Amino acid sequence: MAEQKPRVLILGGMGFIGRNALAFLVEKNLTSFLRVADKQVASTAYLAPRYQAALQSPGVNFVQANLAREDGVKKAFTHADGEFDYVFNCAGITKNGQDDDVYKDNILQISVLCAAEAAKRNVKKYVELSTAHVYAADKNASTEKGKTDPWTRIAHFKLLAEEKIAAIPGLQYNILRPAIVYGPGDVQGLMPRLIIGAVYKHLGETMKLLWTAKLRLNTVHVTDVVAAMWHVATTAPGGIVFNLADSADTTQGSVTDMISTLFGIKSDYHGQILSNLARLNMKDAVEDANEKHVVPWSEICTATGVTSTPLSPYIDQELLYNNSLCVDGTAICATGFKYSKPGPTLEDLKECVAQYVDMKLFPPGMTVA
């Protein structure tokens, strides 16, 4: 008799990584039953047709639940046919620049409540999505044993959640710390930089960025993130943290060069001296930059009939300091995992934009490559 496929729960399944995990599991026919739980409903989540089809597939069930509340967590975990084998926690707020109380409720509390419920129900493996921003900003690649010194508030609360999860008795877990995640459905990763490229195409100006081309912005494709989630759930020993980062050692320069080609624009850098002067009054500098980008973006959208979109060129102050995100993502390979994407390509960025253009969420006619 063939072994029964596992029952899987994706928490935060309407988000960027969650929706890609949903599609991955459905398209590869890996589960006997798959539940997606999220506070947001599909009708407001800007789902591409691929994700809509996955959500409507046989054996897939959606539950609306506030995972920051105990009753919401119980609702997500409870099913008449039995317990879940694997639980993937992709839930939690991803927007920077919020108050700590927001992150406490919508990152730390969600993770702790969900992990505790998983332990209570003897889930075979609970996989927590954290972030590589927990590491100290360094030009040398951080391994899983590297110094932690979170430089965003999201990362601060993600690290607190990791510590709480590790202390839950009886919980079989793995924690994944991805670098900047990009790919179809991206909103907060590389997408703001792509949108800024479109803005400078509209303005007819050179796109000038803080710091230098050498600033490391290491990356990992969402396809590899969701494949790694499944891999550690089914293969890796419990209680281990794994970084996720491709081998490209992506930099601000390599991303900017592709964006310049994609939109047919020129780019340059302010360099260390001018950037350090801006750093002395970073709040005003960031406000000026965002105002320069947000207003034209709104104008472009209005002119091209994009009436509602989750996309924005806004970049929070936390992400504009001279902080390298440099991550060693090779440890997971020792468990048999293989990355399918060695690093971002021009075609990858075109795919991200094209999906949103097709959905009428990104102005058409902006790209030239």
Side-chain angles (χ1 to χ4, degrees), residues 19-98:
R19 68 183 62 182
N20 278 279
L22 162 66
F24 174 85
L25 295 174
V26 168
E27 291 165 3
K28 292 188 176 295
N29 194 26
L30 294 173
T31 65
S32 62
F33 176 73
L34 174 58
R35 169 172 283 176
V36 174
D38 204 302
K39 184 177 180 179
Q40 186 176 34
V41 295
S43 60
T44 63
Y46 297 102
L47 293 180
R50 179 192 179 201
Y51 310 122
Q52 292 179 24
L55 191 61
Q56 294 164 6
S57 297
V60 177
N61 165 253
F62 175 81
V63 169
Q64 185 180 21
N66 183 350
L67 299 172
R69 296 168 54 100
E70 288 187 11
D71 57 348
V73 173
K74 284 183 169 52
K75 180 180 179 182
F77 274 79
T78 301
H79 190 268
D81 292 341
E83 303 295 350
F84 292 97
D85 297 296
Y86 305 134
V87 175
F88 300 112
N89 184 24
C90 308
I93 190 169
T94 59
K95 185 177 181 180
N96 291 90
Q98 306 301 295

Side-chain angles (χ1 to χ4, degrees), residues 16 128 131 184 241 255 327:
F16 169 38
E128 174 79 8
T131 173
V241 175
V255 172
V327 186

